[in-house]
Amino acid sequence: HLRMMRESALVIFAASATSLLLDRMPAAPLAVSCRWPLLQVPVPCMIVEQLRSAATAASDALQVSAAAAVVEKKIAEKLRKVQEKNTIPERYATLIQSFFTSYMMEIFRAGGDMDKYEAILTSLMKRVLETAKDPYAFEPYHQAIREPFDYYDLGCSFAEGMVDANASKIMGLDQASKMAEQIANGDNVILLANHQSEADPQIFSVLLDPIMPGFAERTVFVAGDRVTTDLLAMPFSMGRNLLCIFSKKHVDHPPELKSHKQRHNRRVMKKMQEMLTAGGQCIWVAPSGGRDRPNSVGEFQVAQFDSKSIEMFRLMSDKANRPTHFYPLSMFTYPICPPPVQVGGEIGETRTVKYAPAALHFAEEVDLSRFAEGCLTNDFPRDCTTAESRELLRENLSRHIHGIVAENYRALSAVLEPMIR
């Protein structure tokens, strides 16, 4: 401990001394020599600038280190007090501490209001404790809970602290405006999107609420069971409109619950059909069935779409007898709350967050009439064809939509990746 204290003192002294000496030097072009007042010797300015940068970096590192120690201590103290009165699974206690510490450190680095976001974090912790004690049961169609507590506002306020709004991008706003008109006229809109972050619905709102109030708020998200069963995710999910399904990856496990999950999914499909028949719906779905992951060189790519998922929405829209419009949507959100490397791990995954820009690209509506549809039975869907196999036709449409989402995502990535520290 004494050695560590001495080393820390030396670092602090070196940074402070270097800063003091450099502060007394005039700024000068790199091409000339600078005279160091205390040593009375010429020193190449390039070296001086390097020393100046090193001193600044050392000072910043010390501030971050000190802030991290304070934040970690405060969160540990909050958790300790909470655990004296409440039972939190040990695994979640560890996750909460690391996640909340990561969040507050990013607020500090971004120059955010520490008091404001600490209050938001305290509110979130209270809601997590409530769900730990009495887990919320999500119906097949869950409508956002806005009172007596506004869970939508909690999720958006929390996400807002991590989104660099000034550097974020929204492309295709004219298409989003067109969607809003279609929905107001009683038509349905299906957003076929890639999925990168657990916080995608909240980031969607943070970007759109200031310029299109109500659009993101009313959007219904097709959500897997992970965000409705994980204690940390539950409060955020309670603030969204959700169609809650069990994804194909999780239906079979454990085997004894397979029939229950299948029945639940049939109830979800029935409810969604009712909603599309009533009209005026905007439904967001990720046809990939999961989040994008980085490739072998660490670059995130849009995961392949499940053609059967897209076909299901096409069939349901045909059956609804209401105009339904399909729009590809590209989302760049992974830096803010990246997915774990492992796919399909245990509920209660480790989370990290980062202050970063996000982006959306709404592409033009896909004209489904350009894509022939195979027949399920005689002349259903209407105007279907038997000239080619149903599978081939289905794959052609899926590849087309995936190609649009992937191309627009690459464009967003090219702009935003250089901004991420």
Side-chain angles (χ1 to χ4, degrees):
H1 289 300
L2 288 172
R3 184 171 69 252
M4 289 174 64
M5 290 173 65
R6 283 197 297 271
E7 289 173 352
S8 297
L10 283 171
V11 171
I12 295 169
F13 172 77
S16 302
T18 307
S19 295
L20 175 63
L21 291 172
L22 292 173
D23 284 345
R24 297 184 60 180
M25 292 190 57
L30 295 181
V32 300
S33 292
C34 297
R35 182 165 296 278
W36 201 318
L38 297 184
L39 301 181
Q40 296 300 308
V41 292
V43 181
C45 282
M46 186 186 301
I47 295 175
V48 170
E49 291 303 324
Q50 289 173 349
L51 286 170
R52 195 186 303 277
S53 296
T56 301
S59 177
D60 289 347
L62 286 169
Q63 288 182 29
V64 169
S65 179
V70 171
V71 167
E72 194 168 346
K73 183 178 179 181
K74 287 185 74 172
I75 290 175
E77 182 65 18
K78 279 179 182 288
L79 265 177
R80 185 186 63 77
K81 289 180 179 178
V82 160
Q83 286 177 299
E84 288 176 356
K85 302 177 182 179
N86 303 272
T87 301
I88 306 176
E90 190 57 39
R91 179 164 54 99
Y92 274 101
T94 303
L95 288 175
I96 289 170
Q97 179 157 352
S98 63
F99 178 52
F100 286 8
T101 300
S102 169
Y103 180 83
M104 289 306 296
M105 283 309 302
E106 287 300 306
I107 294 294
F108 173 78
R109 289 188 179 98
D113 185 334
M114 296 290 280
D115 291 336
K116 172 186 173 181
Y117 289 101
E118 183 180 350
I120 292 170
L121 212 57
T122 300
S123 178
L124 173 59
M125 187 180 290
K126 181 180 178 183
R127 305 303 157 185
V128 169
L129 292 173
E130 289 174 356
T131 56
K133 186 177 180 180
D134 184 19
Y136 182 80
F138 287 83
E139 290 294 320
Y141 174 49
H142 168 78
Q143 292 181 280
I145 299 173
R146 305 301 302 269
E147 54 184 29
F149 181 81
D150 193 338
Y151 284 89
Y152 177 84
D153 182 66
L154 172 66
C156 293
S157 297
F158 184 87
E160 183 184 36
M162 290 296 99
V163 178
D164 182 351
N166 292 330
S168 295
K169 307 288 182 187
I170 303 179
M171 309 297 291
L173 262 178
D174 55 330
Q175 299 302 319
S177 298
K178 184 179 170 185
M179 293 176 213
E181 289 180 19
Q182 290 166 336
I183 294 165
N185 291 333
D187 294 0
N188 297 310
V189 165
I190 308 296
L191 294 172
L192 300 165
N194 67 312
H195 177 30
Q196 294 202 320
S197 169
E198 204 172 37
D200 277 352
Q202 287 74 30
I203 296 171
F204 190 71
S205 290
V206 169
L207 295 181
L208 287 176
D209 279 359
I211 51 177
M212 292 186 66
F215 184 85
E217 188 177 343
R218 289 190 293 270
T219 297
V220 179
F221 291 81
V222 178
D225 58 299
R226 301 184 73 83
V227 297
T228 59
T229 53
D230 184 287
L231 292 182
L232 270 176
M234 254 188 225
F236 297 112
S237 299
M238 289 164 72
R240 310 303 308 198
N241 298 318
L242 302 177
L243 284 162
C244 307
I245 64 166
F246 290 99
S247 70
K248 287 182 180 179
K249 299 173 184 175
H250 301 139
V251 164
D252 295 337
H253 304 286
E256 62 270 20
L257 292 179
K258 181 176 178 178
S259 59
H260 162 74
K261 292 180 178 182
Q262 289 175 329
R263 282 196 303 273
H264 174 93
N265 281 356
R266 285 194 292 271
R267 289 174 63 200
V268 175
M269 295 302 104
K270 181 181 178 183
K271 181 61 183 178
M272 183 157 58
Q273 186 65 70
E274 291 171 359
M275 293 168 68
L276 291 173
T277 301
Q281 301 294 329
C282 179
I283 299 177
W284 179 103
V285 62
S288 62
R291 287 169 284 182
D292 301 338
R293 294 301 200 281
N295 60 17
S296 58
V297 294
E299 296 173 347
F300 273 75
Q301 294 181 323
V302 175
Q304 289 300 316
F305 286 177
D306 178 3
S307 60
K308 291 180 181 178
S309 175
I310 296 174
E311 181 185 45
M312 180 192 70
F313 277 92
R314 183 175 188 171
L315 287 170
M316 293 182 84
S317 66
D318 283 342
K319 194 174 178 182
N321 288 320
R322 273 189 179 274
T324 300
H325 310 273
F326 291 78
Y327 288 88
L329 169 62
S330 304
M331 300 187 68
F332 180 94
T333 58
Y334 84 85
I336 292 171
C337 187
V341 175
Q342 182 183 1
V343 178
E346 283 187 19
I347 299 294
E349 65 191 47
T350 300
R351 295 162 173 88
T352 57
V353 289
K354 178 181 283 189
Y355 180 77
L360 306 171
H361 189 139
F362 296 97
E364 292 183 3
E365 180 179 354
V366 175
D367 183 2
L368 295 190
S369 66
R370 291 177 47 222
F371 294 85
E373 189 171 9
C375 297
L376 279 175
T377 60
N378 290 337
D379 200 34
F380 181 80
R382 190 172 46 219
D383 302 325
C384 63
T385 179
T386 56
E388 296 179 87
S389 77
R390 186 170 185 83
E391 274 191 34
L392 178 62
L393 295 172
R394 186 170 63 205
E395 289 296 333
N396 287 342
L397 175 59
S398 180
R399 276 196 298 269
H400 175 72
I401 294 172
H402 178 272
I404 295 170
V405 174
E407 181 181 0
N408 289 340
Y409 175 78
R410 286 191 292 270
L412 294 176
S413 180
V415 174
L416 268 65
E417 285 284 359
M419 301 181 188
I420 300 167
R421 52 180 170 78

